[in-house]
Amino acid sequence: MMLKDKVVVITGGAGLLGRAFCHAVAENGGVAIVAELDQRRGEEVASQLNAKGLAGRAVFAHIDINNHASIGRVIKSLSRRFGTIDALVNNAYPRNKRYGRKFEDVALADFTENVALHLGGYFLATQQFIKFFRKQGHGNIINMASVYGMIAPRFQIYRGTQITMPVEYAVLKAGILQLTKYLSKYLRGSNIRVNAISPGGVRDRQPVSFLKAYSEFCLSKGMLDNEDVCGALLFLLSDLSKFVNGHALVVDDGFSL
Ligand SMILES: NC(=O)c1ccc[n+]([C@@H]2O[C@H](COP(=O)([O-])OP(=O)(O)OC[C@H]3O[C@@H](n4cnc5c(N)ncnc54)[C@H](O)[C@@H]3O)[C@@H](O)[C@H]2O)c1
């Protein structure tokens, strides 16, 4: 029971990584707060976990990380219900409808909107949780970054597919890594830790040609499954990483080497 009774808020909790994270938290003795914009999918994840013999270990909370009042409501209702919130996992993936275009096709308005939605959303949620964590005297924040916040894109692996590495993503993930370092230092002496996870790509019905090109950069498995990132999350949430702070844990089967 690595996370015995720890209350962990996972934004984007119904997404590809989020649902695996909620599962891992609940299975390891924590209470997973499936904090989601998509109410139907969020409730589904929570009820699936509760039905799996993990009753009371998963709770849905409707949240929009781009809305100040919505974040405040979640903090208030969880703190009333549980008396504590132990951790925030910034894992939501907001983007607008025109996200994912090639560099030349990205309008400035879309560039700024997507950076504001994602990096700005992580900032907004973090800012409000920190205020709460300071009051309760402890806290733990884990930011989902990416290897593409660290290295230049490997554009060649996208050849012949509709997929690209959006410029906004590279820029905002680099921003999230720097935000992580900034806050860990800013929060010196507050008993609040801030770390990041930088995963490589996660398998999600990508074309076979892409998976093959991707795996040529890897050391054993190639593109990972969502459960493969959970160990890093559990470590950073647990007291095993008590003195790990301002760190970005890379989970990518060597892709970024
Ligand atoms: N999937 C990958 O290959 C991969 C690799 C590296 C890093 N990451 C990062 O991991 C995180 C999760 O990625 P994913 O692939 O699971 O994404 P996903 O798109 O599968 O899930 C994201 C979830 O966020 C929710 N969401 C969107 N806007 C929201 C908002 N404003 N407020 C609350 N929730 C909102 C969506 O409804 C969705 O359920 C992201 O930060 C992503 O950049 C993903």
Side-chain angles (χ1 to χ4, degrees):
M1 292 286 114
M2 265 177 108
L3 304 183
K4 196 172 174 340
D5 296 330
K6 281 191 199 288
V7 178
V8 180
V9 176
I10 298 153
T11 69
L16 178 66
L17 283 166
R19 54 183 188 263
F21 288 170
C22 290
H23 198 125
V25 166
E27 269 198 326
N28 282 277
V31 180
I33 309 301
V34 188
E36 244 297 332
L37 183 62
D38 184 330
Q39 176 140 4
R40 187 187 59 77
R41 288 175 40 250
E43 283 176 345
E44 206 173 273
V45 169
S47 59
Q48 275 166 2
L49 290 178
N50 285 316
K52 262 192 176 171
L54 295 167
R57 296 272 142 208
V59 172
F60 169 71
H62 186 260
I63 198 169
D64 178 356
I65 65 156
N66 298 118
N67 182 312
H68 191 274
S70 163
I71 301 164
R73 275 195 297 274
V74 168
I75 294 174
K76 201 167 172 188
S77 81
L78 292 177
S79 60
R80 275 203 188 133
R81 178 163 173 179
F82 296 103
T84 177
I85 304 171
D86 297 288
L88 165 70
V89 183
N90 278 312
N91 170 75
Y93 191 169
R95 61 265 212 197
N96 76 12
K97 290 200 168 64
R98 292 168 300 283
Y99 177 77
R101 293 184 174 175
K102 295 220 166 85
F103 180 79
E104 290 84 347
D105 302 329
V106 178
L108 176 61
D110 290 325
F111 178 86
T112 51
E113 186 178 7
N114 281 307
V115 172
L117 287 170
H118 195 140
L119 178 57
Y122 282 32
F123 160 80
L124 193 62
T126 301
Q127 191 182 51
Q128 289 196 68
F129 272 82
I130 283 175
K131 285 183 189 160
F132 173 79
F133 287 158
R134 279 197 193 272
K135 271 195 232 139
Q136 76 171 3
H138 67 96
N140 189 356
I141 297 167
I142 294 153
N143 291 324
M144 291 309 292
S146 163
V147 289
Y148 277 151
M150 305 157 35
I151 62 163
R154 300 201 189 284
F155 288 113
Q156 63 269 46
I157 63 174
Y158 302 105
R159 245 178 247 140
T161 75
Q162 296 298 310
I163 315 170
T164 188
M165 168 40 52
V167 61
E168 302 94 312
Y169 194 77
V171 168
L172 68 87
K173 286 304 190 191
I176 287 171
L177 287 170
Q178 193 58 16
L179 181 67
T180 303
K181 286 194 208 162
Y182 176 100
L183 286 173
S184 57
K185 207 107 192 228
Y186 180 73
L187 293 166
R188 180 172 196 261
S190 67
N191 203 20
I192 304 168
R193 295 193 284 136
V194 190
N195 288 290
I197 300 176
S198 291
V202 179
R203 204 177 273 262
D204 187 24
R205 300 183 301 265
Q206 293 90 347
V208 176
S209 61
F210 173 75
L211 292 176
K212 191 168 170 296
Y214 183 99
S215 70
E216 272 155 30
F217 287 96
C218 297
L219 304 180
S220 59
K221 175 167 175 166
M223 194 162 266
L224 302 179
D225 292 302
N226 54 0
E227 302 99 59
D228 296 328
V229 188
C230 292
L233 180 83
L234 291 173
F235 171 68
L236 290 176
L237 285 172
S238 78
D239 295 340
L240 289 175
S241 59
K242 212 169 175 179
F243 298 107
V244 179
N245 207 341
H247 186 70
L249 198 41
V250 177
V251 186
D252 72 344
D253 192 25
F255 178 78
S256 59
L257 292 173

